[in-house]
Amino acid sequence: MDEEGRLTTRQAAELLGVKPATVYAYVSRGQLTSRRDPVGRGSTFDAREVEALAVRSRREAAVPAGELSVRTSLTLIEDDRYYYRGVDAVELASAHPCEEVAEWLWTGALPRGARFTAPPETLAAARRAVDALPGHSGPADRLRVATAAAAVTDPLRFDLSPEAVLGSARCLIPTLVGALPVVGRAQWAGDGRIARQLWPRLTAREPDPDALAVLDLALGLLIDHDLAASTLAVRVAASARAHPYAAVSAGLGVLEGPLHGAAGRLAHGMLAEALERGDGAAPVVADHLRAGRRVPGLGHRLYRGEDPRASALFARLEALPQAGPALAAAREVVATTAARRPGLHANVDLALAVLTVSYGMRAQAGETVFAVARTAGWIAHALEEYQERPLRMRPSGQYQGPRPPRPMP
């Protein structure tokens, strides 16, 4: 190693445990950068960069063959609780607005009074694009189109440095919210907090401070939840070095799947029907089971007990008189189902449905809240993935077709 901390090709190969030719293959794939030796006898490599690649390679080699494992320092789910960078996520979201929670997940710092602002030209472009959609378009449709419009206005979107990606994220989230059509009074739309900007896009009813606090709590709780299907899609896109807007678009595409993002809408419909019928939630649960449908808002594969996000939201909702009827219906749904399946507990979709039903929000409001919140988490995962080896998420298919050679059809 020379005085500048650079390695020869042979030294780099020894440290990586590969042949010299493989070192140059790493260079061609963008995993290492090389510099010509001043004497002209070959290439040299930054020792720290080589060591970092060696560490990543050793970690990947430790993963059992055939098992998909993604290293992350963002969210840990353990013993029916979950943590953002080691801090209890429920406690964090209960004490800080969603913008500060997002900053913590992105940077590991907690800046007080964090605000996100949409650039006027970006917001205008996103609104024009969303306004051109048919009136029946869903929230995922609008958010995907707004994301694409925002990307086009950002000439720096291909800069994948952490500073540039964070700058894009702080502009994208308020742009997505601001591009959604206003349902309520427009004067609520200009406040700096994401929760206040989002509220009039969800309902025509004016918010009170306690209701806004519950919405902000929901946003903070939903920012990340380990490697959900949409988050994995984001990591795959980021592994291919797609820019952050494209990575978010990948997440939004998966979120629209009926097995991922639609659960909140189904729970909303169930509670709304129970309140409209007026004879309790038990008959509605019976109708779901009679039709062969799952009762929405119940159970989560990662928790043995009640989803901690649901517990936190229920606790806040109990203090709101407006939420009383919907909360009682939700509790009845859980109790009715528990008579036969005692291990089935409420999840966050049911708790979010209590909020959306209580304040006259549309059925897709929960999906909108989920998508806006999770955008911050997707950005955090994209930031992590940009620091990994490119295209590392390239599994091999297990071919099941006929063996060649076959005659030409």
Side-chain angles (χ1 to χ4, degrees), residues 147 230 233-235 237-238 242-253 378-379 382 386:
T147 301
S230 57
V234 169
R235 305 247 358 183
H243 58 69
Y245 300 91
V248 168
S249 294
L252 287 168
W378 292 335
I379 292 292
Y386 290 146

Side-chain angles (χ1 to χ4, degrees), residues 9 17 110 390:
T9 303
L110 197 63

Side-chain angles (χ1 to χ4, degrees), residues 18 52 92 96 108 135 162-163 187 197 210 237 266 294 314 344 369:
V18 299
L92 188 67
H96 295 272
E163 297 79 12
Q187 57 260 41
Q197 294 179 53
D210 291 335
L266 298 175
R294 289 183 56 191
F314 283 147
L344 210 55
V369 174

Side-chain angles (χ1 to χ4, degrees), residues 99-135:
E99 293 90 341
E100 295 178 11
V101 178
E103 291 283 354
W104 171 256
L105 205 63
W106 292 339
T107 68
L110 197 63
R112 294 289 184 155
R115 291 287 196 280
F116 301 156
T117 304
E121 65 278 8
T122 303
L123 182 56
R127 282 176 172 168
R128 286 194 301 270
V130 169
D131 289 345
L133 293 174

